[in-house]
Amino acid sequence: MSLSLCMIVKNEEAALPKCLSSVKNVVDETIVLDTGSSDRTPYIAKQFGAKVHHFQWCNNFSVARNAALKYVTGDWILVLDADETLTPSIVPQIRAVMQNEEYLLMNLIRQEVGAAQSPYSLVSRLFRNHSDIRFERPYHALVDDSVAAILTKEPHWQIGYLQEVAILHKGYQKIAIAQNNKHAKATAAMEEFFATHPHDPYVCSKLGALYVETGKITQGMELLKRGVAACEENYEILYELHYHLGIAYSRLQNPQQAIAHYQTAIKLPIYPILKLGAYNNLGNLLKASGDLNSAKTAYETALKIDPNFAAGHYNLGMIQKAFGLFTDAIASYQKAIRLNPSYAEAYQNLGVVLLKVGNVQASLTAFGNAIVLHEQQNPQEAKRLRQGLREMGLIKF
């Protein structure tokens, strides 16, 4: 069984080498459809052995992805974007599932590196080269609708998912979003689709979440609630709808409604790792309301699901600090820092607790690391922290 990588790209010379390097010894064929690059993207793709084809961009990701599929010759297809990489540990699972004659599509877990909210998502990116599989929807292009149609005619097929993180995605980091004007592109494409599909739960979820994120909270909530009303048994979409309603109500300073939506979200029968964002946000709201024990339970549940969840360790440390469990808090902050060495807040609170237990030198080291990181991420906080340490007589600079 052969595997083809299928991509659409435009002006991705910075990100593309890392992406293609991650699949260099995994795929048998690389198909790259360039949609109008003005940089060295096509040249770089060819340097990695890709077959490069060209396509005139039409503001519709599905049309472009379907055009790319036409050039694929492999038995199975892996779809990546240039800002994504394949994890080495998932390769044996991919090779094994390709030998299974029962599967039509395998969903993959994608980790949103540096995401402020939910760190994991499930994406339909590995599927058999079936003539009726095609992408639909102009943005967040999916093959799920066409796969569902195939299953009604060919019920012998199965759909599954691989249980470890398969894809690392950096495109949702704030800098990447700003540089690529992602919000504007997404809004334009999804609004056009929404005009003809006003009750589609998926587009209600994605466009509603985007509205909330960009400050159009009332519009976003209207779409998210419409999606909940229309969504039947697609629990992954229903989770996203409730999750983003939780965010919306938090923005409106309505914690009780937000808590209710997060609690509904975590009860849904979906793969547990997808629920981390809801557990984490629920814990934050419970902590803010003064219910520290329930918050602690939410964070601990998140860490049982994913022991490498840096934000979970940090937030658990905050609860331990509030309870006066300083030794435990130090350990939690240190775990968060090991998992995310750029975690300025973890260094800062580690400094606070170390100071409380009398370890002044280690405290100053932690505060120093926090200041350096804050200067890169949040200069005002660096200034505030330095001023506070100066007033306490701990530093003179």
Side-chain angles (χ1 to χ4, degrees):
M1 285 286 171
S2 58
L3 177 63
S4 295
L5 174 67
C6 189
M7 305 180 68
I8 61 171
V9 297
K10 182 178 180 180
N11 293 335
E12 295 285 4
E13 64 177 12
L16 192 58
K18 190 171 184 179
C19 173
L20 294 179
S21 293
S22 74
V23 297
K24 184 172 57 176
N25 299 316
V26 180
V27 300
D28 304 289
E29 172 186 64
T30 299
I31 300 297
V32 171
L33 189 75
D34 188 88
T35 62
S37 292
S38 57
D39 64 4
R40 298 173 64 252
T41 294
Y43 172 78
I44 291 170
K46 289 176 181 176
Q47 289 292 102
F48 277 88
K51 299 172 184 175
V52 178
H53 303 274
H54 297 273
F55 178 83
Q56 186 171 352
W57 181 242
C58 61
N59 201 36
N60 189 307
F61 283 85
S62 289
V63 171
R65 290 199 187 279
N66 289 332
L69 287 180
K70 294 176 182 177
Y71 297 106
V72 170
T73 64
D75 300 301
W76 280 78
I77 300 169
L78 171 68
V79 175
L80 292 178
D81 290 331
D83 56 5
E84 297 174 334
T85 55
L86 193 71
T87 61
S89 60
I90 205 68
V91 174
Q93 290 187 52
I94 289 177
R95 295 199 190 284
V97 82
M98 284 170 54
Q99 304 304 318
N100 191 318
E101 296 182 358
E102 298 175 345
Y103 285 110
L104 179 64
L105 178 145
M106 294 300 295
N107 287 296
L108 303 179
I109 296 172
R110 182 173 73 172
Q111 182 177 354
E112 310 297 344
V113 180
Q117 291 291 337
S118 188
Y120 298 100
S121 58
L122 206 60
V123 291
S124 47
R125 297 291 199 84
L126 180 65
F127 47 88
R128 198 175 290 273
N129 190 357
H130 188 292
S131 59
D132 290 339
I133 289 184
R134 65 184 181 278
F135 287 92
E136 298 180 19
R137 306 167 191 271
Y139 196 81
H140 291 287
L142 301 169
V143 297
D144 302 59
D145 294 342
S146 65
V147 168
I150 292 169
L151 291 177
T152 62
K153 297 183 294 183
E154 305 172 21
H156 62 280
W157 291 117
Q158 290 188 25
I159 298 173
Y161 63 86
L162 301 185
Q163 295 191 11
E164 294 181 16
V165 173
I167 299 171
L168 300 178
H169 179 223
K170 293 190 174 181
Y172 286 159
Q173 293 176 318
K174 290 182 179 179
I175 294 174
I177 289 172
Q179 287 178 340
N180 294 299
N181 200 21
K182 285 198 170 190
H183 284 155
K185 291 178 183 176
T187 301
M190 283 193 283
E191 284 178 340
E192 184 178 338
F193 182 80
F194 177 71
T196 55
H197 301 76
H199 295 282
D200 182 292
Y202 183 84
V203 77
C204 285
S205 170
K206 295 300 182 185
L207 186 56
L210 189 58
Y211 281 157
V212 170
E213 189 175 351
T214 54
K216 300 176 183 176
I217 298 177
T218 302
Q219 287 173 267
M221 290 179 70
E222 180 186 335
L223 290 191
L224 293 168
K225 289 178 180 178
R226 185 186 301 186
V228 170
C231 195
E232 295 176 356
E233 291 188 359
N234 191 320
Y235 296 121
E236 281 83 10
I237 294 177
L238 196 56
Y239 168 84
E240 286 198 12
L241 289 161
H242 283 291
Y243 174 77
H244 288 292
L245 278 167
I247 293 173
Y249 277 112
S250 294
R251 298 267 178 97
L252 293 177
Q253 305 298 314
N254 188 337
Q256 291 309 310
Q257 284 284 1
I259 286 170
H261 281 288
Y262 287 133
Q263 288 174 333
T264 300
I266 62 179
K267 290 175 184 175
L268 291 167
I270 63 172
Y271 190 44
I273 201 168
L274 303 178
K275 301 180 184 182
L276 285 186
Y279 275 115
N280 191 58
N281 290 1
L282 175 62
N284 292 344
L285 288 171
L286 292 168
K287 181 180 71 173
S289 73
D291 188 352
L292 299 185
N293 284 312
S294 295
K296 182 171 180 283
T297 299
Y299 297 139
E300 287 173 341
T301 303
L303 290 171
K304 284 179 185 176
I305 294 170
D306 181 13
N308 295 320
F309 185 34
H313 288 291
Y314 169 77
N315 287 322
L316 181 59
M318 296 296 283
I319 296 294
Q320 291 162 337
K321 183 177 78 167
F323 281 139
L325 303 172
F326 297 141
T327 301
D328 292 340
I330 289 169
S332 291
Y333 293 139
Q334 289 173 335
K335 286 177 185 175
I337 290 165
R338 280 198 297 272
L339 293 164
N340 178 8
S342 299
Y343 212 144
E345 293 83 359
Y347 273 114
Q348 186 169 338
N349 281 280
L350 175 62
V352 170
V353 178
L354 287 168
L355 194 60
K356 285 180 179 294
V357 299
N359 194 338
V360 178
Q361 192 55 50
S363 171
L364 289 176
T365 300
F367 282 132
N369 288 328
I371 288 171
V372 169
L373 291 167
H374 277 312
E375 283 174 341
Q376 300 167 8
Q377 304 164 12
N378 184 355
Q380 283 300 111
E381 182 61 21
K383 182 178 179 181
R384 191 199 66 77
L385 177 56
R386 186 181 283 110
Q387 179 64 26
L389 293 172
R390 190 181 296 119
E391 290 173 357
M392 292 168 65
L394 294 172
I395 61 171
K396 295 182 180 180
F397 57 89

